[in-house]
Amino acid sequence: MKNFWRSVLWGGLFLGAASSAAAAGFYYNSLGDLPDVNELKRVSFETPMQIFTRDGKLIGEFGEAKRIPVPLSEIPKKLQQAFLAIEDSRFYEHSGIDPIGIMRAVAVAVGNSGNATQGASTITQQVARNFFLTRERTLKRKLREIFISLRIEQVLTKDEILELYLNKIALGHNAYGVAAAAQIYYGRDLKDLTLGQMATIAGLPKAPSTLNPISYPERSRARRNTVLARMLDQGFITKAEYETACAEPYKTVKHGAPLEAYAPYVAENARQFALDRFGESAYTDGLKIYTTVDSKNAEAAHYAVFKGVTSYDHRHGWRGPLLNTAALQGFDGGADAREKLLRENDLYHYIFPGLITLIDDEAKTASAVTRGGSLITIPWEGMKWASAFKTDRSQGPAPRKPSDVLKTGDLIYWFQDEKGQYTLTQLPEVESALVALDPYTGAVEALVGGFDFEKSKFDRTTQAKRQVGSNFKPFLYSSAVAKGISINSVFMDEPLKTWDPGSRTWWEPKNTPNRYDGIMTLREGLARSKNVISVRLIRQVGVANAVTHVQKFGFEIPKSQQVESMALGTVETTPLDLVAGYATFANGGFRITPYFIDKITKGDQLVYQADPKRADPHAPDRVINAIALTYDDQIPENPELPPQVLSHGNAYIVADMMRSVVYGGSGISGPYWGTGGRAYNITGRKDLHGKTGTTNDVHDAWFSGFDTNLVATSWMGFDTDRDLGYSASQGPEGGAYSALPVWAEFFRLAQHGVPEQNMDKPADVKQCSNDGISDLCLKGSQAISESGAASAPEEGAGEDGAPAQGGNSSDTGTGSDDIF
C-alpha cells in the first residue's frame, strides 16, 4: 500500500511537472506570436468629438461610442471596490490569473472537445481580451489570454491595469468606461454617484444589454443588490449603507451629454465641418472643436427666436392640445403612465409638457401635473390668448373662461415667461432663423437655424434660399451712391405702370400699404420702404450697373432675376449670405467671409486654426467711387485686409440711411417714421442701423441690422408655400411685426451693457444741399430730380417699345413693408 501511494505521489508530481513544462514551453514558443503589451502604456482611447463655444462651454458631442477617460484617482473608491467585489475580489493578490477558475474552465473545455464555455476571468484577463483578443470561445484563445495577462502584470502596475479596465469596459447603451456610464444612465459626474448607482454600474459587465437600468430595470435592481451584498461580505460597506443603497430608486432614463450651453445648429455645422475635413475618424479621434460662437449670444439668439415665434403663434390662435388621455388606449392614469407620457413629449428647449388635472372657471385657472409629479397652475393671463385658430388670416372669438380652451386630461405645453408666470403654449408651425457676425472678421457670434433643433434639424441660416424683399434695397441704394447719385435727390412716390411684353401684362409695382406720398428724398424712400421709389431708382442706375454692383457683395443673381423687379427684392439668398452683405456697410466697405470654427485640437496637437482677415474702416480707401471696381494705383493692395468692395464713404452713407429706417427723420413734407422703429422701442439703443423686408403676399419676413459691434439677420416664414397671413392685433405679418422683434430681442440681450458707439464719418463724406435739402454726399456726387410718372402707361411702353429689363405681374408688391 505504501508503494502504491508513493507511486501516486511521484506520478502526480511527474504529471504536474510535465504539465508545467508543457505550459512553459507553449508560453515561450508563443511569445513571438503575442502582441506587445507595452502598447498599453501608450494606449489612446477612441473618444467622441466634442464641440465648444468660444468661451469653452460644451455644446455638442458626436461619436457612436461614448467614452470619457479618467485617471484612477478621479474614480471614487467605493466604485472601484464595487467592481472588485463582483468581478475580481483577489485582484491585488493574484499575478493576473485565478488558478482555480482556470482549472475549472480547462476541465469544462476538455469535456466539450476543446470548446470553452466558462470564463472565471480576472480583471487582468478582461483587459487582455478587450485590448488584444476576440471573444472566440476556444482553448487556444483562452491560453493566449492567460499568457497575455501574465505579461501585462509584468509590464503594468495593478492600479494601471484597473484604470485601463474601468475606462475600457463596455457598459451598455454605447457607454465605454465608468465615467461615460455615469453620464448616460444618471446624467452625473462620477463624484456625484450614489452607492446604489455605483453598484448598478459595477453590475453591468456581465451582460450590459440585459442588466442595465434603462432597458431592464428589474433585472438591474437584482444585479445591483447582488453587488451590494458582495461589497458587504468583503467589508467594503456597512450594513446601514447596504440597506440604504438597496432602497434607492432603480429605474432611470437615458441621458445625453451634459451640455453647458445651447447651440445645437452650431454644433451640427461644426460636426459636418470636421467630418468633411478629417473623415470618419473625426468621431473617434477625440477632436475638440472650438467655435467662434459666444455662449451668451447663443442663448440670447435662441431665446429671441423662441419669443418671436411664440408671439406670432399666439397671435394666430390655439390649435388645441396634443391629445386627451381619454382617447389613449391602455392609459390607466397612474403616476407611472403619466410620467411615461410626459417624458416622451419632453423634447424641446423652452417648452415643457403638462397634463391638465383641474379646471377652475371661477378662479380662472387650470392646474397641470408636470414631469416628476410637480403641479403648476396656469392663470388666466397665461391662456386668454387662446382664441381658436381658423386660418392664418382669421381667428375665432376670444375665450371667456379656461373651459373654453382646455379639458381635464389634455396634454399641453407650457413655459414660464420673464415674470415667472406659467403660460399655455403649443408647438408652432411657423419657423424662424437668426445669424449674427462680428462685422470685422466674419466670426459667427450666434446661429439659430429654426425654432428648435428637435422640431427640425434643417438649418435655415445656411440651407434655405429665400427672396429677401426690401432687405435688398440697401444694396440698390449703395449702387446709386457708387454712381454718384446724392441721397438728397428727389423722387416721386406715385404709382407706376409698365407694359411687359414677355408676360403680355402691365407691371404695376405697389407700395404696401397701397399709399403714395408724393415728392421725397432717397433717404425717406428707403426709411419708409417705398417700392415705387426703388423701381424709379434702379432705372436711374441701370439694371446692368446695379447687378454689377450687387455682385461685389458676393450675391449670385441669375439672369432671370436681373430685371427691374430686382429692386423689390426678388433676389434669393440665405440669411448667412445676407448678413455678410450687411457687414460690408458696418465695417467700412470690406467683404468678409463668415466662419464659425476657430480652432481644432487633437490631444495636445493643434490640427486646425482659422486665420481670418480683419476689416479696418480706418485703412486707406482703395476703391474709387464708381460702379466699376477700379482701384487707386497710389494705394497698394493690403493682403492683411479682406477685399474692399465699397469706398468707406459709400458704406457710411448707406449705413446712415439705415439709421433713418430705425429712428425716422424729417422729410420734404415733414417728420416721418421709418419701418424699423420697433428696434429702438425694444432695445432702447440709439446706435442702430437696419432694414425691414417683406416679400410678396407676406410670404417671408426679414430684418437685418447692426451697430459697431455686431451685425445680424433674422427671418420668419413657413417651410411650405404658406404665407405669414394676418392677425387681428397686428394686421399683415410683415418684417416690421414678425422678424424685427426677433432681431431686436437678440440685440437687447446680446448688447446689454455694451456702450453705444456711432460710426466714424470718413473724410470724404460731407453735407450737400439740393434746393435747400441738405444731406450726406460724397465728393463728386450730384443730386437729381426725378419727375416721376403718372398713373398712365409710360410713354413709349407697349408691344413695340417696352422699357429695358421690365418686370412682370408676378412681382407685384414683392419687397413691400408695413409702415411702423
Side-chain angles (χ1 to χ4, degrees):
M1 180 64 69
K2 185 181 296 184
N3 290 334
F4 171 78
W5 286 114
R6 184 180 295 113
S7 298
V8 170
L9 176 61
W10 283 105
L13 291 174
F14 175 78
L15 287 174
S19 299
S20 299
F26 189 85
Y27 172 68
Y28 286 107
N29 286 332
S30 301
L31 283 178
D33 191 38
L34 294 177
D36 182 6
V37 298
N38 283 290
E39 293 177 8
L40 292 175
K41 290 191 171 183
R42 302 181 295 274
V43 67
S44 59
F45 294 102
E46 291 183 355
T47 53
M49 173 200 311
Q50 291 186 312
I51 301 167
F52 300 88
T53 59
R54 183 178 65 206
D55 46 332
K57 295 189 176 181
L58 183 68
I59 58 173
E61 185 173 272
F62 297 93
E64 183 177 348
K66 171 82 171 178
R67 195 189 304 277
I68 309 171
V70 289
L72 191 65
S73 59
E74 294 182 13
I75 300 174
K77 196 69 176 178
K78 282 276 195 296
L79 181 56
Q80 297 179 40
Q81 291 170 341
F83 273 93
L84 294 173
I86 197 67
E87 291 292 326
D88 189 354
S89 60
R90 297 180 59 254
F91 172 71
Y92 280 98
E93 300 165 16
H94 62 61
S95 60
I97 59 173
D98 180 352
I100 297 175
I102 291 172
M103 290 176 65
R104 182 172 62 246
V106 170
V108 173
V110 170
N112 286 276
S113 302
N115 294 313
T117 60
Q118 286 195 8
S121 297
T122 65
I123 283 177
T124 310
Q125 287 175 266
Q126 292 183 58
V127 169
R129 183 167 59 241
N130 287 334
F131 280 94
F132 298 115
L133 299 170
T134 68
R135 288 190 172 270
E136 176 189 17
R137 292 192 171 209
T138 65
L139 185 57
K140 181 179 179 181
R141 199 277 300 160
K142 192 69 179 178
L143 288 171
R144 282 175 57 82
E145 177 186 298
I146 293 169
F147 295 158
I148 294 172
S149 300
L150 292 171
R151 181 63 179 149
I152 288 173
E153 292 272 350
Q154 295 173 354
V155 172
L156 301 179
T157 67
K158 287 287 188 179
D159 283 353
E160 289 173 333
I161 295 169
L162 184 59
E163 181 178 298
L164 282 172
Y165 172 76
L166 293 176
N167 281 300
K168 177 74 172 180
I169 190 72
L171 296 171
H173 284 282
N174 292 323
Y176 292 83
V178 292
Q183 286 193 0
I184 284 181
Y185 292 116
Y186 302 110
R188 295 185 172 187
D189 292 333
L190 289 172
K191 61 182 176 59
D192 299 321
L193 292 175
T194 66
L195 177 59
Q197 291 167 347
M198 293 180 191
T200 300
I201 292 172
L204 291 171
K206 180 179 179 180
S209 61
T210 58
L211 290 176
N212 72 76
I214 296 173
S215 305
Y216 297 93
E218 298 291 345
R219 295 182 186 178
S220 175
R221 176 175 60 173
R223 179 66 173 170
R224 176 197 70 183
N225 292 349
T226 298
V227 174
L228 290 168
R230 294 288 295 274
M231 293 181 74
L232 178 63
D233 289 343
Q234 294 174 41
F236 291 144
I237 58 175
T238 65
K239 182 69 172 178
E241 288 176 317
Y242 167 80
E243 292 174 349
T244 300
C246 284
E248 286 184 23
Y250 58 95
K251 295 180 180 180
T252 188
V253 295
K254 188 170 183 177
H255 296 72
L259 302 183
E260 299 167 312
Y262 185 68
Y265 289 99
V266 176
E268 173 57 23
N269 275 289
R271 181 196 70 83
Q272 190 60 55
F273 180 91
L275 191 63
D276 291 344
R277 191 173 186 90
F278 300 103
E280 292 292 330
S281 65
Y283 292 131
T284 58
D285 283 350
L287 297 180
K288 294 186 183 298
I289 303 173
Y290 294 87
T291 68
T292 60
V293 172
D294 177 80
S295 62
K296 169 177 168 284
N297 288 346
E299 189 65 43
H302 277 279
Y303 180 73
V305 167
F306 161 75
K307 185 176 181 180
V309 166
T310 300
S311 295
Y312 169 91
D313 191 66
H314 286 192
R315 290 196 296 270
H316 288 261
W318 171 243
R319 296 185 297 277
L322 279 76
L323 55 85
N324 189 280
T325 54
L328 286 179
Q329 290 186 351
F331 184 82
D332 61 11
D336 287 347
R338 290 200 311 265
E339 186 68 19
K340 181 176 183 292
L341 182 63
L342 292 168
R343 183 176 69 247
E344 289 172 346
N345 289 278
D346 191 3
L347 304 172
Y348 308 109
H349 189 57
Y350 288 108
I351 63 176
F352 309 96
L355 270 175
I356 299 298
T357 57
L358 178 67
I359 294 174
D360 188 336
D361 281 341
E362 184 176 346
K364 284 197 168 184
T365 61
S367 298
V369 63
T370 67
R371 284 196 64 179
S374 299
L375 285 173
I376 63 168
T377 299
I378 302 174
W380 182 239
E381 286 296 314
M383 69 179 97
K384 68 178 183 180
W385 64 268
S387 302
F389 172 85
K390 290 185 175 181
T391 71
D392 292 321
R393 298 180 181 273
S394 64
Q395 299 82 45
R400 294 177 297 176
K401 56 186 183 299
S403 60
D404 291 340
V405 180
L406 298 169
K407 293 186 296 184
T408 301
D410 280 349
L411 178 64
I412 54 95
Y413 282 114
W414 58 273
F415 69 93
Q416 278 187 282
D417 65 15
E418 292 168 352
K419 298 177 182 178
Q421 175 183 280
Y422 294 109
T423 301
L424 174 70
T425 193
Q426 59 195 351
L427 190 64
E429 295 175 346
V430 74
E431 281 293 351
S432 183
L434 184 144
V435 58
L437 308 178
D438 179 327
Y440 302 102
T441 65
V444 174
E445 293 282 341
L447 185 149
V448 180
F451 172 76
D452 193 287
F453 192 71
E454 285 300 318
K455 176 176 180 280
S456 171
K457 294 174 174 57
F458 181 63
D459 183 357
R460 295 155 190 84
T461 66
T462 61
Q463 297 174 296
K465 277 195 170 186
R466 313 288 291 231
Q467 286 191 350
V468 296
S470 295
N471 240 215
F472 176 80
K473 289 177 181 176
F475 305 106
L476 170 63
Y477 278 70
S478 175
S479 72
V481 174
K483 193 176 181 183
I485 299 175
S486 177
I487 63 173
N488 60 358
S489 297
V490 175
F491 281 70
M492 294 298 296
D493 180 29
E494 290 184 349
L496 285 171
K497 188 174 183 179
T498 304
W499 178 255
D500 179 14
S503 62
R504 300 184 65 82
T505 58
W506 292 99
W507 181 48
E508 298 181 81
K510 299 182 183 301
N511 292 335
T512 301
N514 194 17
R515 165 182 164 177
Y516 303 87
D517 294 293
I519 189 170
M520 63 180 59
T521 64
L522 287 180
R523 179 186 286 273
E524 183 176 354
L526 181 66
R528 299 177 66 181
S529 202
K530 293 288 190 176
N531 287 335
V532 297
I533 297 293
S534 294
V535 175
R536 294 180 187 280
L537 181 60
I538 200 171
R539 291 177 177 177
Q540 290 289 333
V541 174
V543 171
N545 287 334
V547 168
T548 299
H549 185 80
V550 170
Q551 286 174 334
K552 297 178 186 178
F553 295 86
F555 297 121
E556 296 180 1
I557 305 178
K559 191 69 176 177
S560 61
Q561 295 178 17
Q562 297 179 17
V563 293
E564 285 184 350
S565 61
M566 183 176 73
L568 307 182
T570 57
V571 173
E572 296 180 346
T573 190
T574 65
L576 183 62
D577 288 339
L578 186 60
V579 76
Y582 269 80
T584 304
F585 299 122
N587 66 30
F590 298 90
R591 188 179 73 212
I592 50 89
T593 301
Y595 72 102
F596 54 89
I597 303 298
D598 178 37
K599 66 179 180 179
I600 302 176
T601 62
K602 179 181 176 182
D604 296 330
Q605 181 184 6
L606 181 69
V607 295
Y608 174 83
Q609 177 69 65
D611 186 23
K613 295 180 179 180
R614 183 177 180 83
D616 181 4
H618 303 291
D621 198 336
R622 296 190 61 249
V623 179
I624 294 176
N625 181 34
I627 287 288
L629 191 60
T630 307
Y631 292 106
D632 187 335
D633 293 335
Q634 302 301 313
I635 304 175
E637 181 177 359
N638 187 341
E640 299 298 319
L641 298 175
Q644 187 178 359
V645 297
L646 296 180
S647 68
H648 301 331
N650 186 315
Y652 179 85
I653 288 174
V654 178
D656 194 72
M657 294 175 76
M658 284 190 273
R659 279 184 57 83
S660 298
V661 174
V662 178
Y663 304 106
S666 181
I668 294 173
S669 302
Y672 59 83
W673 289 104
T675 59
R678 275 185 174 79
Y680 171 69
N681 294 342
I682 294 172
T683 66
R685 295 185 70 90
K686 300 177 182 178
D687 60 347
L688 303 178
H689 314 251
K691 183 69 189 78
T692 51
T694 311
T695 61
N696 200 32
D697 294 328
V698 202
H699 194 274
D700 297 272
W702 298 84
F703 191 84
S704 298
F706 52 90
D707 60 13
T708 56
N709 304 297
L710 199 60
V711 57
T713 286
S714 62
W715 165 87
M716 189 176 289
F718 289 94
D719 291 332
T720 58
D721 187 18
R722 177 176 170 184
D723 299 333
L724 287 165
Y726 179 98
S727 67
S729 60
Q730 296 270 82
E733 294 280 7
Y737 297 111
S738 53
L740 186 155
V742 174
W743 182 95
E745 181 67 13
F746 167 69
F747 253 70
R748 182 182 73 84
L749 297 170
Q751 295 294 85
H752 178 71
V754 176
E756 295 176 359
Q757 181 179 352
N758 292 321
M759 299 175 70
D760 294 332
K761 185 169 72 172
D764 60 341
V765 175
K766 57 181 182 178
Q767 289 289 123
C768 297
S769 181
N770 172 36
D771 292 335
I773 303 171
S774 181
D775 211 327
L776 300 176
C777 69
L778 292 175
K779 180 181 179 181
S781 63
Q782 294 182 341
I784 63 172
S785 294
E786 200 264 0
S787 60
S791 58
E794 297 208 352
E795 185 176 353
E799 290 189 38
D800 297 323
Q805 309 292 341
N808 58 59
S809 59
S810 66
D811 298 317
T812 301
T814 300
S816 60
D817 278 290
D818 303 310
I819 295 297
F820 170 65

